[in-house]
Amino acid sequence: MMTETPVPKLITRLAIPTIISMLVTGFYNMADTYFVAQIPGEGTQATAAVGIVFPMMAVIQALGFLFGHGSGNYLSRMLGAGKKKEASEMASTGFAMALLFGIFVLAVGNLAIRPITDFLASSDVTDETMKLTIQYGRIILMGAPFMMCQFVVNNQLRFQGSAMYAMVGLLSGAVINVALDPLLILGFDMGVTGAAIATVAGQITSFFILLLGSRRGENIKLHLKNVRINRYYTAEIINGGIPSLFRQGLAAVATMLLNRAAGEYGAEAAIAGMSIVTRVLMMVASAVIGFGQGYQPVCSFNFGAGKKERVREGYWFCIRWGTVFLTILSAVCITFAPEIISMFRDDPDVVEVGSAALRYQAAVLPLLTTIFLTNMMLQSMGKGFKASVTAMARNGLFFIPTILILPQYLGLQGVEMTQMVADICSFCLVIPMAASELKKMKDLP
């Protein structure tokens, strides 16, 4: 199927469940933000608290993607080359390493929760917001092992072409999360504690459903006897997964710096506004990311099988349609920015900051297709260095210096413009990298 089915049809078949999964994941990330913003008397502080903890969640996700993408890329290439034994050993090894790291993060994170939240928050944040931040963060950390292992199994299923099982697992967790949010946050008056419990419950549900999915059909089964935590498999996981670690990890750093910079211009209101924009744009971009994730198994499997032209064809197919889609959403976000922000928090200060930031970032949304797809192609082909550079570009190489410099000259407007500037620079960086690899594949027999 992976080497014979027409590429557009194959990518579409694999991408549809993944796009649904990404949209639903984005939706329930927004659900937390929406419902905590409705808490009587502390909606803005609660929204800021969720935004402050977001970088910590991004680090947990980054580690999950490290093991998930690292093991998934490798096993897909091995399956393409007909080496099922190596693929099976990698699947179990990636899962085992994620579980061990998840337990480590849970233990260390809870012991050091106060210094972690102090580091993530602006110095201008009130004691009440810090209290809510710690409440939310402690519970989120309890779900770290499940969250990380969920990302591993999800990505391994995708890279085997079992996107439907991956979708069902994520959807199950999303339904639990969204159902529990209003019940616990508002119905039982549990506030941010209820939001955190709903999130962790959703992650645990997804983990077990995905684990069951990995036992179905011809999917590689996870077995303790196949675990090989050695230098070779560790190096392969790092090579295939480090771009994801950089991408997600730097997203955490970027969000932390964004929160601290925004906090200088209105503390909770500015942080809340930027937090809402982050969640909205994650939702908007998730469809294209899902489209790209439908391309990844096609890319890695066919690259391993030596069918380079199919890799090129799939890349251009995704670039065309992803750019068209984001252009439409860009127009919607620019036109209705105040209405979108006010859906979450009807606070004039929050809406003012959020609307401006959303418009700036939406203006360059179409560029994200090329940025994301180039990174995914390089990573799926095992081009570790180039994939790492493109992964670091958007939230690291360009965002970090921009967020440190631009607000010094433009104040709050500089904070609102930072991601836009970083995206333009990232687009300029990935173009020559994509062109060189596409040319190599065209020239090779």
Side-chain angles (χ1 to χ4, degrees), residues 27 53 76 85 139 157 176 263 320 332 375 401 409:
F27 176 74
V53 173
S76 185
K85 177 178 178 293
I139 299 171
L157 286 171
I176 295 298
R320 283 194 301 272
V332 172
N375 176 245
Y409 297 95

Side-chain angles (χ1 to χ4, degrees), residues 312 383 386 435-444:
R312 285 171 47 86
K383 306 290 183 179
K386 284 187 175 181
S436 65
E437 290 300 328
L438 292 167
K439 186 177 186 302
K440 285 179 187 176
M441 285 189 282
K442 186 176 182 178
D443 294 341
L444 289 173

Side-chain angles (χ1 to χ4, degrees), residues 321-391:
W321 289 106
T323 301
V324 169
F325 178 74
L326 285 187
T327 300
I328 295 170
L329 290 184
S330 171
V332 172
C333 288
I334 291 171
T335 304
F336 300 105
E339 290 81 2
I340 291 171
I341 301 301
S342 62
M343 286 171 58
F344 295 86
R345 185 66 183 161
D346 192 16
D347 179 325
D349 294 332
V350 173
V351 172
E352 182 180 359
V353 173
S355 298
L358 182 58
R359 281 176 169 147
Y360 282 126
Q361 295 185 40
V364 296
L365 263 181
L367 305 184
L368 296 189
T369 301
T370 301
I371 297 170
F372 292 154
L373 262 296
T374 299
N375 176 245
M376 289 177 173
M377 178 183 71
L378 294 170
Q379 186 174 4
S380 299
M381 289 163 52
K383 306 290 183 179
F385 176 74
K386 284 187 175 181
S388 297
V389 172
T390 55

Side-chain angles (χ1 to χ4, degrees), residues 391-428:
M392 290 188 294
R394 186 168 182 260
N395 290 315
L397 297 178
F398 298 117
F399 185 95
I400 292 175
T402 304
I403 193 65
L404 294 176
I405 296 170
L406 211 57
Q408 300 297 320
Y409 297 95
L410 299 177
L412 180 57
Q413 186 182 27
V415 178
E416 296 163 347
M417 294 176 62
T418 292
Q419 190 66 69
M420 178 188 71
V421 174
D423 288 346
I424 293 171
C425 294
S426 299
F427 179 77
C428 295

